[in-house]
Amino acid sequence: MPTVFVEGPYRFYFFSREETRKHVHVASSDGEVKIWLEPEISLAKVINLSTSEVHTILAIVEKRKEEINADWNKHFGCN
């Protein structure tokens, strides 16, 4: 589970052996979320996070999408 980055209370990471559609997992002490990165940023799963926290996380993903995509491509050997 490589960590992409940590911002505030949120850890952004990938699972190494999961589906091939680009996505990122985000965990905090309160819960977690899985976010699709393509074809557009959208929620895949939310566990125990408030709507406010989910909106905050989505904003971070939007702001750092290029970084997340670059790390995905590096980790999974994509061009």
Side-chain angles (χ1 to χ4, degrees), residues 5-24:
F5 60 86
V6 175
E7 185 167 322
Y10 307 112
R11 176 178 168 253
F12 294 73
Y13 62 96
F14 304 130
F15 281 116
S16 292
R17 296 183 187 163
E18 202 178 25
E19 58 203 290
T20 58
R21 182 176 170 191
K22 282 187 183 179
H23 64 280
V24 66

Side-chain angles (χ1 to χ4, degrees), residues 2-71:
T3 297
V4 180
F5 60 86
V6 175
E7 185 167 322
Y10 307 112
R11 176 178 168 253
F12 294 73
Y13 62 96
F14 304 130
F15 281 116
S16 292
R17 296 183 187 163
E18 202 178 25
E19 58 203 290
T20 58
R21 182 176 170 191
K22 282 187 183 179
H23 64 280
V24 66
H25 295 266
V26 185
S28 74
S29 60
D30 297 327
E32 60 187 85
V33 64
K34 177 178 177 179
I35 299 173
W36 298 120
L37 300 173
E38 57 183 28
E40 59 188 33
I41 294 173
S42 61
L43 292 175
K45 176 173 59 171
V46 178
I47 300 171
N48 295 329
L49 291 176
S50 69
T51 302
S52 174
E53 283 183 292
V54 171
H55 286 291
T56 297
I57 292 166
L58 287 169
I60 294 168
V61 170
E62 186 66 47
K63 178 179 73 174
R64 298 181 74 171
K65 182 179 178 180
E66 287 183 30
E67 176 185 354
I68 297 167
N69 276 316
D71 283 354

Side-chain angles (χ1 to χ4, degrees), residues 2 14 22 67-79:
F14 304 130
K22 282 187 183 179
E67 176 185 354
I68 297 167
N69 276 316
D71 283 354
W72 176 281
N73 292 339
K74 181 179 176 183
H75 180 71
F76 292 102
C78 305
N79 291 338

